[in-house]
Amino acid sequence: MAVYTDITENDLRNFLSEYDVGELTSYKGIAEGVENSNFLLHTTKDPLILTLYEKRVDAGDLPFFLGLMQHLAQKGLNCPLPLPRHDGKICGELSGRPAALISFLEGMWLRKPEAQHCHAVGVALAQMHLAARDFSITRRNALSVNGWQELWAKAAPRADEVLPGLQQEIGAELDYLVSHWPQDLPQGVIHADLFQDNVFFLSDRLSGLIDFYFACNDLLAYDVSICLNAWCFQPDGAYNFAKGSALLAGYQSVRPLNADEIAALPVLCRGSALRFFLTRLYDWLTTPEGALVVKKDPIEYLRKSRFHRAIEAASEYGLEPAA
Amino acid sequence: MAVYTDITENDLRNFLSEYDVGELTSYKGIAEGVENSNFLLHTTKDPLILTLYEKRVDAGDLPFFLGLMQHLAQKGLNCPLPLPRHDGKICGELSGRPAALISFLEGMWLRKPEAQHCHAVGVALAQMHLAARDFSITRRNALSVNGWQELWAKAAPRADEVLPGLQQEIGAELDYLVSHWPQDLPQGVIHADLFQDNVFFLSDRLSGLIDFYFACNDLLAYDVSICLNAWCFQPDGAYNFAKGSALLAGYQSVRPLNADEIAALPVLCRGSALRFFLTRLYDWLTTPEGALVVKKDPIEYLRKSRFHRAIEAASEYGLEPAA
């Protein structure tokens, strides 16, 4: 949950005077997003989201993030739209932080998604990949192989505190990924964090994608592998073949994976499982006890990493042969 | 900030099926209230607040709290109205907790209130006292003199960890209050926690009172003293005479204080300063480091307690002689 910065009514009124929005009638800090402070605003017109970018977000990346949301919304994708100020900018400042006013997307994220929802996620992910093809700004993925190595260098010496043997196991897995990471797959803008809380539904219909603050340029099929990890495992850790199959079929109904992407899917899944394992491990080891953040258990992603190491072909994830 | 319990879409849908509300379009955990989990719901009709009562609230008190809100709203006071279910009850169960659906009150709490707002708070507090006169349920104030003694018995041995000399100073203050606490002042239902975040304004007009979860039966003028402590001190700790004068004048414009209440005001202020000092001190000493709660500094209320000990007459708070 995230409200790191409170705002006073006067500062907010000044900030809103730069926009063409209705009269403010309420603002509440909401428990969404872990990197930024988010407020839900009611006005005499539409509800809005106000985001204050805290220091974990590099202000230099905001033109990419906000521009991407604007680009995708203009292409017809359902995602939050940053509102322009009177001076045309889509980012201002509030309480000493960069701040943006963003359209409110109705919908709810699913705590218990089913296969049909996974299909819709695959469709939306592929639509996003296509819609972003002509987006002009680029952003390197700081959390790809090099980033994993940097994180691991910091976490490795204490890894066995979490689970004995972890230092050796993860070291070997990282070595494997460094030497087998695919280079020549189709690239583009990926969401890179399309977890359940970032996809909204209205009575079983996908109503939008949110939280583009990890978006970057990388392998498109890597984004698919992130979704397989995020959406297609049961709470008990077992892979759900029906969900995986639905997610992949949904994706391929919009953007078919090519043969190289299909062949690379197991190693991509190993990579994304390791990526979330490493950030969670790092946070687990470094987040001070008093912090206002719920630490996520890294072991969930260790289990997923081990699962993917035993996979030999994409068909084991439920990928149907192309029609 | 408070979302202690998450809820799944299916549980929420089942819960809402007991009510006559529109179709749910979103629900977000909000960072308000420290005792309960609160969600802001959007529906195809009106926005709503969903409150899940966590274990710090005694379920046996809910008929008092929710009944009071219903009573006050029916008397025309602007406060959240618990919605009735189809079976007529105003409390159900969700995620294993008692849960109520409550009307959403537009408005914003003021981070920087001015004297005019304090006047409005005084008016609203007196209106609440009058509106609650014929409310039939009663609830003992667990945080009056006896409660302070219980808290102090637990905190005293470690009080000097917070500030050397505290054990002696607070012990003496508590002894004074036990022997000087007024007995024969007008009683009724008090809010008992009317801090800034529990009073909403819409463009300088008070739009409502919220959070009745400390309400109880006690001395009405004690509620006034809580507001003087909560609203009429500057961030630097100085008492603001103009705000105090405005708050008292606002209160008296609706319900004039009698001579005994006026004479007792300094000791009541000492009592309410000590009450908030003691709960903060206790939380300070006992809240585990990893808790998702921001600890409030008890020293702020130690300073207020010391200020009130030097007060000899209510006129020093800005109380004007009755017209």
Side-chain angles (χ1 to χ4, degrees), chain B residues 115-158:
Chain B
Q116 57 168 317
H117 307 116
C118 295
H119 187 276
V121 168
V123 169
L125 184 71
Q127 287 171 336
M128 190 215 115
H129 289 169
L130 297 188
R133 272 189 301 195
D134 54 351
F135 180 57
S136 58
I137 316 178
T138 60
R139 178 175 182 262
R140 191 180 73 85
N141 187 0
L143 286 170
S144 189
V145 185
N146 285 344
W148 308 342
Q149 290 174 302
E150 287 167 25
L151 273 174
W152 180 240
K154 293 180 205 162
R158 292 180 53 202

Side-chain angles (χ1 to χ4, degrees), chain A residues 1-4 6-10 12-13 24-32 39-40 42 47 49 104-114 200-204 289-294, chain B residues 1-4 6-10 12-13 23-32 39-40 42 47 49 104-114 200-202 204 289-294:
Chain A
M1 63 188 69
V3 180
Y4 302 100
D6 197 20
I7 41 183
T8 68
E9 53 277 10
N10 291 335
L12 182 54
R13 201 174 298 135
L24 183 69
T25 58
S26 84
Y27 66 104
K28 310 252 186 231
I30 57 173
E32 305 218 344
F39 295 83
L40 169 49
H42 286 183
I49 293 286
F104 181 84
L105 216 60
E106 295 292 350
M108 291 152 280
W109 67 267
L110 300 179
R111 277 68 173 173
K112 296 186 173 178
E114 295 167 14
F200 287 174
F201 287 82
L202 275 172
S203 47
D204 288 341
E289 282 302 320
L292 293 174
V293 171
V294 179
Chain B
M1 64 186 68
V3 181
Y4 302 99
D6 197 20
I7 42 184
T8 69
E9 53 278 10
N10 292 336
L12 182 54
R13 201 174 300 132
E23 199 72 30
L24 184 70
T25 59
S26 84
Y27 66 103
K28 311 254 184 228
I30 58 173
E32 307 218 342
F39 295 83
L40 170 48
H42 285 183
I49 293 286
F104 180 83
L105 215 61
E106 296 291 350
M108 291 153 279
W109 67 267
L110 300 179
R111 278 67 173 171
K112 296 186 173 178
E114 295 166 15
F200 287 174
F201 287 84
L202 276 171
D204 289 339
E289 281 302 319
L292 293 173
V293 171
V294 179

Side-chain angles (χ1 to χ4, degrees), chain B residues 35 65 139 143 190-193 211-216 275:
Chain B
E35 306 286 323
F65 296 140
R139 178 175 182 262
L143 286 170
I190 68 169
H191 184 287
D193 195 41
D211 201 347
F212 290 80
Y213 300 110
F214 284 96
C216 55
R275 173 254 180 271

Side-chain angles (χ1 to χ4, degrees), chain B residues 38-103:
Chain B
N38 287 297
F39 295 83
L40 170 48
L41 277 52
H42 285 183
T43 74
T44 47
K45 294 185 186 172
D46 294 319
L48 298 165
I49 293 286
L50 168 66
T51 299
L52 271 63
Y53 299 97
E54 305 291 343
K55 61 175 184 290
R56 280 183 74 160
V57 170
D58 180 346
D61 284 332
L62 290 175
F64 175 86
F65 296 140
L66 294 168
L68 177 63
M69 289 153 73
Q70 201 174 38
H71 179 91
L72 294 174
Q74 282 162 357
K75 291 268 176 179
L77 201 88
N78 279 328
C79 72
L81 176 66
L83 304 188
R85 305 182 346 149
H86 292 135
D87 63 7
K89 292 183 187 164
I90 52 179
C91 191
E93 190 181 299
L94 183 52
S95 298
R97 282 153 183 81
L101 205 56
I102 296 169
S103 66

Side-chain angles (χ1 to χ4, degrees), chain A residues 1 31-35 56 109 162 193-198 211 214 230 275-287 292-302 304:
Chain A
M1 63 188 69
E32 305 218 344
V34 292
E35 307 286 321
R56 280 182 74 159
W109 67 267
V162 175
D193 196 40
L194 200 60
F195 277 67
Q196 287 163 38
D197 53 345
N198 290 332
D211 200 347
F214 285 96
R275 172 255 180 271
F276 289 101
F277 170 78
L278 287 172
T279 48
R280 290 185 181 194
L281 176 68
Y282 181 78
D283 288 345
W284 192 267
L285 292 171
T286 59
T287 302
L292 293 174
V293 171
V294 179
K295 293 182 182 190
K296 291 178 180 160
D297 184 3
I299 299 304
E300 176 192 344
Y301 272 83
L302 175 67
K304 290 177 181 178

